[in-house]
Amino acid sequence: MDKLELAEQIAVVSGCLYLSWRIIKYVWSFLEVEEDPVTVLVTGAAGQIGYALVPMIARGEMLGPNRPVILHLLDIEPAAEALNGVKMELIDAAFPLLKGVVATTNVVEACTDVDIAIMVGGFPRKDGMERKDVMSKNVSIYKAQASALHYTIDGFSQRFSLLLPLLIVLLVANPANTNALILKEFAPSIPEDNITSLTRLDHNRALGQISEKLNVHVSDVKNVIIWGNHSSTQYPDVNHATVSTDKGTKYVRELVNNDHWLNTEFITTVQQRGAAIIKARKLSSALSAASAACDHIRDWVLGTPKGTWVSMGVYSDGSYGVPPGLIYSFPVTCEKGEWSIVQGLKIDEFSRAKMDATAEELIEEKALAYSCLH
Ligand SMILES: NC(=O)C1=CN([C@@H]2O[C@H](COP(=O)(O)OP(=O)(O)OC[C@H]3O[C@@H](n4cnc5c(N)ncnc54)[C@H](O)[C@@H]3O)[C@@H](O)[C@H]2O)C=CC1
Ligand SMILES: O=C([O-])CC(=O)C(=O)O
């Protein structure tokens, strides 16, 4: 046998061993009787969203009341002491579902064995800034952290949980869509469908504005859409939104009966809500952002209720004429851990122009992000 044949045989045997190992691990996870704990990474965990988010996860608000969780908390060295304080409080809260907490400033340790990654770490904007103004600081974080997450899969360090066969990622830190795109580009082992960005906060804000206007319960309002970027160019669209009433399901436009308000003030209120919170609190949204992150992951993993869609920033496949290659917010339904874009909605001229404008901004942000990385 010459050296080449030997090398070939070694490669084949290693390939078979690796495949068998993955199959055994996957089958093993199905045989486990107790619900398998899910490991959730929260980056920027010492910050204000992190502080609101981790107890929600530990209490079962994200993955349901029967799903144990292990939390991996990542922050940077200057926040190490505060991060340890968060860990101490999680222990003190004695959450029955919380099976372990790793608090670390080491990105590789934080990413190891992770099933769900919620990327909050970064710098928030201040009063008077646009979200893209924090671009240069934040995109470089996501390029670096993409490598650690890439290795989680490529280096075979991911546990295989029954709930999720492969790591899923939610990008919260701003500019969220573009950070998610950068993470996708620099973590090629993560399938593009597994990387999303948060526009659920905007979606929930739109539901909240309609519920206030009509004086109905927010859970009776459904199927608003946030198209595009998590920025002031986003397009909150109510053309397909409905309200459940005693007299059956009605369209929001019919009930509001004020197209001028819906096409002007409603849209700008949702677009500018983040800035309004910063003005009022001198800090950006935290409890509503954390709650929206829980909603996003819960619906993605456990499924959207029948007849309901939600908004998620996902990798565009060209649906609705949105350029492919952007992370753009679409209406999606989710089932068994997979999202799909709701198809066939009628788009009028007004909507088309707004959807195109926010896509344009994302194209510009993408170019700006790359220029920051070079
Ligand atoms: N997509 C959305 O709907 C929303 C996004 N945001 C964004 O979320 C991000 C976090 O917001 P807050 O929690 O209010 O900010 P914060 O400043 O309170 O916390 C951010 C944390 O990230 C940490 N951090 C910085 N660099 C890091 C790195 N390389 N690795 C890990 N951690 C790192 C900081 O030390 C800090 O503890 C901001 O970018 C903010 O603009 C905020 C609200 C809504
Ligand atoms: O506005 C900000 O900078 C924080 C944020 O993304 C939001 O509240 O939607």
Short mmCIF file of all heavy atoms in Angstrom, two decimals, residues 29-62:
data_model
loop_
_atom_site.label_atom_id
_atom_site.label_comp_id
_atom_site.label_asym_id
_atom_site.label_seq_id
_atom_site.Cartn_x
_atom_site.Cartn_y
_atom_site.Cartn_z
N SER A 29 -29.75 11.62 22.46
CA SER A 29 -30.57 12.72 22.97
C SER A 29 -32.06 12.36 22.91
O SER A 29 -32.84 12.79 23.74
CB SER A 29 -30.28 14.02 22.22
OG SER A 29 -30.80 13.94 20.92
N PHE A 30 -32.45 11.52 21.94
CA PHE A 30 -33.86 11.11 21.86
C PHE A 30 -34.23 10.11 22.95
O PHE A 30 -35.37 9.97 23.32
CB PHE A 30 -34.15 10.45 20.49
CG PHE A 30 -34.40 11.47 19.43
CD1 PHE A 30 -33.36 11.92 18.63
CD2 PHE A 30 -35.66 12.02 19.24
CE1 PHE A 30 -33.58 12.88 17.66
CE2 PHE A 30 -35.88 12.98 18.27
CZ PHE A 30 -34.85 13.41 17.48
N LEU A 31 -33.20 9.37 23.43
CA LEU A 31 -33.49 8.33 24.43
C LEU A 31 -33.60 8.90 25.84
O LEU A 31 -34.09 8.25 26.74
CB LEU A 31 -32.39 7.27 24.42
CG LEU A 31 -32.28 6.49 23.08
CD1 LEU A 31 -31.12 5.53 23.14
CD2 LEU A 31 -33.57 5.75 22.79
N GLU A 32 -33.13 10.14 26.00
CA GLU A 32 -33.16 10.71 27.34
C GLU A 32 -34.59 10.96 27.79
O GLU A 32 -35.39 11.56 27.07
CB GLU A 32 -32.37 12.03 27.35
CG GLU A 32 -30.89 11.77 27.38
CD GLU A 32 -30.09 13.04 27.21
OE1 GLU A 32 -30.67 14.06 26.84
OE2 GLU A 32 -28.89 13.00 27.44
N VAL A 33 -34.89 10.48 28.98
CA VAL A 33 -36.27 10.55 29.45
C VAL A 33 -36.57 11.95 29.98
O VAL A 33 -37.57 12.56 29.62
CB VAL A 33 -36.51 9.49 30.55
CG1 VAL A 33 -37.97 9.50 30.97
CG2 VAL A 33 -36.09 8.11 30.06
N GLU A 34 -35.66 12.48 30.80
CA GLU A 34 -35.88 13.81 31.37
C GLU A 34 -35.70 14.86 30.27
O GLU A 34 -34.92 14.64 29.35
CB GLU A 34 -34.80 14.05 32.43
CG GLU A 34 -35.33 14.77 33.62
CD GLU A 34 -34.22 15.06 34.60
OE1 GLU A 34 -33.20 15.62 34.17
OE2 GLU A 34 -34.38 14.71 35.76
N GLU A 35 -36.44 15.98 30.36
CA GLU A 35 -36.25 17.02 29.34
C GLU A 35 -34.81 17.50 29.38
O GLU A 35 -34.27 17.81 30.44
CB GLU A 35 -37.24 18.16 29.55
CG GLU A 35 -38.59 17.81 28.98
CD GLU A 35 -39.37 19.02 28.49
OE1 GLU A 35 -39.12 20.14 28.93
OE2 GLU A 35 -40.24 18.83 27.63
N ASP A 36 -34.23 17.53 28.21
CA ASP A 36 -32.84 17.87 28.06
C ASP A 36 -32.63 19.36 28.35
O ASP A 36 -33.37 20.18 27.80
CB ASP A 36 -32.56 17.58 26.57
CG ASP A 36 -31.12 17.49 26.23
OD1 ASP A 36 -30.32 17.29 27.13
OD2 ASP A 36 -30.82 17.64 25.03
N PRO A 37 -31.67 19.75 29.19
CA PRO A 37 -31.48 21.19 29.36
C PRO A 37 -30.95 21.83 28.09
O PRO A 37 -30.22 21.21 27.33
CB PRO A 37 -30.45 21.31 30.49
CG PRO A 37 -29.90 19.98 30.71
CD PRO A 37 -30.72 18.96 29.97
N VAL A 38 -31.35 23.06 27.88
CA VAL A 38 -30.88 23.81 26.71
C VAL A 38 -29.90 24.87 27.22
O VAL A 38 -30.16 25.53 28.23
CB VAL A 38 -32.09 24.45 26.00
CG1 VAL A 38 -31.67 25.50 25.02
CG2 VAL A 38 -32.91 23.37 25.30
N THR A 39 -28.78 24.98 26.54
CA THR A 39 -27.77 25.96 26.97
C THR A 39 -27.96 27.25 26.17
O THR A 39 -27.95 27.24 24.94
CB THR A 39 -26.36 25.40 26.77
OG1 THR A 39 -26.26 24.19 27.51
CG2 THR A 39 -25.31 26.37 27.28
N VAL A 40 -28.16 28.33 26.91
CA VAL A 40 -28.42 29.63 26.27
C VAL A 40 -27.29 30.59 26.59
O VAL A 40 -26.98 30.83 27.77
CB VAL A 40 -29.76 30.23 26.77
CG1 VAL A 40 -30.07 31.54 26.02
CG2 VAL A 40 -30.91 29.25 26.61
N LEU A 41 -26.67 31.11 25.55
CA LEU A 41 -25.63 32.13 25.72
C LEU A 41 -26.28 33.51 25.67
O LEU A 41 -27.06 33.79 24.75
CB LEU A 41 -24.60 32.01 24.59
CG LEU A 41 -23.68 33.20 24.36
CD1 LEU A 41 -22.70 33.38 25.52
CD2 LEU A 41 -22.90 33.03 23.05
N VAL A 42 -25.96 34.36 26.65
CA VAL A 42 -26.37 35.78 26.57
C VAL A 42 -25.08 36.59 26.62
O VAL A 42 -24.35 36.54 27.63
CB VAL A 42 -27.30 36.17 27.74
CG1 VAL A 42 -27.64 37.66 27.66
CG2 VAL A 42 -28.58 35.33 27.71
N THR A 43 -24.79 37.33 25.56
CA THR A 43 -23.61 38.19 25.60
C THR A 43 -24.04 39.58 26.09
O THR A 43 -25.21 39.94 26.00
CB THR A 43 -22.92 38.31 24.22
OG1 THR A 43 -23.73 39.13 23.37
CG2 THR A 43 -22.72 36.95 23.58
N GLY A 44 -23.09 40.32 26.63
CA GLY A 44 -23.44 41.62 27.22
C GLY A 44 -24.33 41.43 28.44
O GLY A 44 -25.17 42.27 28.77
N ALA A 45 -24.12 40.31 29.15
CA ALA A 45 -25.05 39.90 30.21
C ALA A 45 -24.99 40.80 31.44
O ALA A 45 -25.91 40.76 32.26
CB ALA A 45 -24.77 38.45 30.60
N ALA A 46 -23.93 41.59 31.57
CA ALA A 46 -23.88 42.51 32.71
C ALA A 46 -24.58 43.84 32.40
O ALA A 46 -24.71 44.70 33.27
CB ALA A 46 -22.42 42.78 33.10
N GLY A 47 -25.03 43.99 31.17
CA GLY A 47 -25.69 45.24 30.78
C GLY A 47 -27.16 45.26 31.16
O GLY A 47 -27.67 44.30 31.75
N GLN A 48 -27.83 46.34 30.74
CA GLN A 48 -29.22 46.48 31.22
C GLN A 48 -30.19 45.51 30.56
O GLN A 48 -31.08 44.97 31.23
CB GLN A 48 -29.70 47.92 31.20
CG GLN A 48 -29.41 48.74 30.00
CD GLN A 48 -30.52 49.74 29.76
OE1 GLN A 48 -31.38 49.93 30.61
NE2 GLN A 48 -30.51 50.36 28.60
N ILE A 49 -30.04 45.20 29.28
CA ILE A 49 -30.94 44.19 28.68
C ILE A 49 -30.62 42.82 29.29
O ILE A 49 -31.52 42.06 29.66
CB ILE A 49 -30.80 44.12 27.14
CG1 ILE A 49 -31.25 45.44 26.52
CG2 ILE A 49 -31.63 42.97 26.57
CD1 ILE A 49 -31.11 45.53 25.01
N GLY A 50 -29.33 42.53 29.42
CA GLY A 50 -28.92 41.24 30.00
C GLY A 50 -29.53 41.04 31.38
O GLY A 50 -30.05 39.95 31.69
N TYR A 51 -29.51 42.10 32.18
CA TYR A 51 -30.03 42.00 33.56
C TYR A 51 -31.54 41.70 33.58
O TYR A 51 -32.04 41.04 34.47
CB TYR A 51 -29.72 43.31 34.29
CG TYR A 51 -29.96 43.24 35.78
CD1 TYR A 51 -29.14 42.49 36.59
CD2 TYR A 51 -31.03 43.93 36.36
CE1 TYR A 51 -29.36 42.42 37.97
CE2 TYR A 51 -31.26 43.87 37.72
CZ TYR A 51 -30.42 43.11 38.53
OH TYR A 51 -30.64 43.04 39.88
N ALA A 52 -32.25 42.24 32.57
CA ALA A 52 -33.70 41.98 32.49
C ALA A 52 -33.98 40.61 31.85
O ALA A 52 -34.96 39.96 32.17
CB ALA A 52 -34.37 43.09 31.67
N LEU A 53 -33.08 40.21 30.95
CA LEU A 53 -33.34 39.00 30.14
C LEU A 53 -33.06 37.70 30.89
O LEU A 53 -33.83 36.74 30.79
CB LEU A 53 -32.48 39.08 28.87
CG LEU A 53 -32.52 37.92 27.88
CD1 LEU A 53 -33.93 37.71 27.35
CD2 LEU A 53 -31.57 38.19 26.71
N VAL A 54 -31.94 37.65 31.62
CA VAL A 54 -31.55 36.35 32.18
C VAL A 54 -32.58 35.78 33.17
O VAL A 54 -32.85 34.57 33.12
CB VAL A 54 -30.09 36.32 32.73
CG1 VAL A 54 -29.12 36.43 31.59
CG2 VAL A 54 -29.84 37.36 33.78
N PRO A 55 -33.22 36.60 34.03
CA PRO A 55 -34.25 35.98 34.88
C PRO A 55 -35.46 35.48 34.10
O PRO A 55 -36.08 34.50 34.48
CB PRO A 55 -34.66 37.11 35.85
CG PRO A 55 -34.11 38.36 35.29
CD PRO A 55 -32.97 38.01 34.38
N MET A 56 -35.78 36.15 32.99
CA MET A 56 -36.91 35.68 32.17
C MET A 56 -36.59 34.28 31.62
O MET A 56 -37.44 33.39 31.62
CB MET A 56 -37.16 36.63 30.98
CG MET A 56 -37.69 37.99 31.38
SD MET A 56 -37.96 38.99 29.89
CE MET A 56 -38.38 40.57 30.61
N ILE A 57 -35.35 34.10 31.16
CA ILE A 57 -34.97 32.80 30.60
C ILE A 57 -34.99 31.74 31.71
O ILE A 57 -35.52 30.65 31.54
CB ILE A 57 -33.56 32.86 29.96
CG1 ILE A 57 -33.52 33.92 28.86
CG2 ILE A 57 -33.15 31.50 29.41
CD1 ILE A 57 -32.13 34.20 28.31
N ALA A 58 -34.42 32.12 32.87
CA ALA A 58 -34.30 31.16 33.97
C ALA A 58 -35.66 30.78 34.55
O ALA A 58 -35.82 29.72 35.16
CB ALA A 58 -33.41 31.74 35.07
N ARG A 59 -36.65 31.64 34.34
CA ARG A 59 -38.00 31.36 34.88
C ARG A 59 -38.85 30.57 33.88
O ARG A 59 -39.98 30.22 34.17
CB ARG A 59 -38.67 32.71 35.18
CG ARG A 59 -39.63 32.65 36.34
CD ARG A 59 -40.22 34.00 36.63
NE ARG A 59 -39.47 34.74 37.60
CZ ARG A 59 -39.03 35.98 37.44
NH1 ARG A 59 -39.25 36.63 36.31
NH2 ARG A 59 -38.38 36.58 38.39
N GLY A 60 -38.32 30.33 32.70
CA GLY A 60 -39.06 29.51 31.72
C GLY A 60 -39.90 30.33 30.76
O GLY A 60 -40.69 29.79 30.01
N GLU A 61 -39.71 31.66 30.78
CA GLU A 61 -40.55 32.49 29.90
C GLU A 61 -40.15 32.35 28.43
O GLU A 61 -40.92 32.68 27.55
CB GLU A 61 -40.49 33.95 30.33
CG GLU A 61 -41.32 34.19 31.57
CD GLU A 61 -41.10 35.56 32.18
OE1 GLU A 61 -40.87 36.53 31.44
OE2 GLU A 61 -41.13 35.65 33.43
N MET A 62 -38.94 31.88 28.20
CA MET A 62 -38.49 31.76 26.82
C MET A 62 -38.75 30.37 26.23
O MET A 62 -39.18 30.24 25.09
CB MET A 62 -37.00 32.10 26.73
CG MET A 62 -36.53 32.41 25.34
SD MET A 62 -34.81 32.89 25.33
CE MET A 62 -34.06 31.29 25.40
#
